[in-house]
Amino acid sequence: TFQQYKTFTKNNIYEITLPILSGIHNKSLQIPKELKSDEFIKEHLYKQGFEKASKMFGLSNIKKIEDIIISYPHVLAHGDLNTSNVFENGYFIDWDRFGIYPIGYDIGMLLSRYNAFENSKALVDFIDLNILDKIDSNIDKKEFKIGCLYFSFIFYSRKVNIKVEDDFLDEIYDLLVGVLINEIKYTQIG
């Protein structure tokens, strides 16, 4: 028999997506290095955000950060999580953007679609309090968190679903640069 399932609202989308994403992001399911891909950079939502972020902060600066993120573990990702693609029974639909993306992609997209934060501290606190403890314990939490911050930064830069102030983007950018500065060797970000 066919059952109708309700989709999630922005208030409860994390309740079902986090346990499922945690299973997908389990270290044992991570993609071998030789299968890593940068296909996610072709996704129109990502490209749109990347272009806008590059205009604000400089193409070479954003590219340096992106290169680090690309080196992080890659996992199976839905690529377009939103309330119309997630049902309360745990089913995800609309897999046309499915791919092997760096860790944090799906969560970054969710954050940018459904959460307006006053500042980067509020965003980091939300990730720390509501997301990190729900991911698999084998996942490198630092890489996961940086991936979430980077992808939320890129998707927030689109300024589509939630009104985002430039100051907020400045704070996330500064936070990313501050955390990644040791990984961006012999380069200067300004």
Side-chain angles (χ1 to χ4, degrees):
T1 56
F2 177 76
Q3 289 183 309
Q4 287 213 273
Y5 295 105
K6 295 187 323 188
T7 57
F8 273 79
T9 66
K10 70 179 194 171
N11 295 327
N12 62 1
I13 191 144
Y14 296 100
E15 292 172 20
I16 192 67
T17 57
L18 289 176
I20 293 168
L21 291 175
S22 178
I24 292 171
H25 294 166
N26 182 311
K27 193 167 190 139
S28 65
L29 297 176
Q30 287 181 24
I31 308 304
K33 288 185 182 205
E34 48 281 354
L35 295 179
K36 281 187 178 182
S37 168
D38 61 359
E39 287 295 308
F40 72 95
I41 65 175
K42 297 176 185 172
E43 288 294 331
H44 78 277
L45 299 175
Y46 180 83
K47 281 173 47 174
Q48 186 181 44
F50 184 88
E51 288 170 9
K52 289 187 177 186
S54 295
K55 285 179 183 170
M56 288 182 70
F57 300 99
L59 175 61
S60 65
N61 295 335
I62 301 303
K63 185 67 180 138
K64 288 172 191 170
I65 297 170
E66 180 187 67
D67 289 344
I68 292 169
I69 299 302
I70 288 173
S71 76
Y72 283 4
H74 282 53
V75 296
L76 301 176
H78 181 276
D80 188 25
L81 288 179
N82 63 65
T83 55
S84 61
N85 290 342
V86 177
F87 291 89
E88 65 183 13
N89 63 354
Y91 290 127
F92 290 8
I93 62 168
D94 191 12
W95 288 87
D96 61 318
R97 293 195 183 124
F98 168 80
I100 299 170
Y101 300 159
I103 199 159
Y105 187 95
D106 280 333
I107 298 297
M109 182 176 284
L110 283 175
L111 290 167
S112 71
R113 283 189 163 156
Y114 302 113
N115 298 93
F117 296 100
E118 285 185 37
N119 53 47
S120 63
K121 182 183 180 330
L123 170 60
V124 169
D125 288 349
F126 185 87
I127 293 169
D128 287 345
L129 297 172
N130 298 291
I131 297 173
L132 281 184
D133 66 335
K134 293 176 180 66
I135 65 166
D136 188 272
S137 61
N138 294 317
I139 297 297
D140 183 309
K141 299 227 189 282
K142 179 183 175 192
E143 289 177 343
F144 181 82
K145 185 174 178 178
I146 292 169
C148 290
L149 287 170
Y150 173 73
F151 288 113
S152 63
F153 167 74
I154 291 296
F155 294 125
Y156 275 124
S157 294
R158 296 175 55 238
K159 298 184 179 185
V160 174
N161 295 334
I162 290 178
K163 184 175 174 6
V164 176
E165 301 295 330
D166 288 349
D167 289 348
F168 177 66
L169 295 173
D170 288 341
E171 288 180 21
I172 300 174
Y173 174 78
D174 290 344
L175 181 62
L176 285 167
V177 170
V179 168
L180 297 174
I181 199 69
N182 291 330
E183 295 182 47
I184 306 172
K185 295 183 177 159
Y186 311 110
T187 60
Q188 187 168 354
I189 294 185

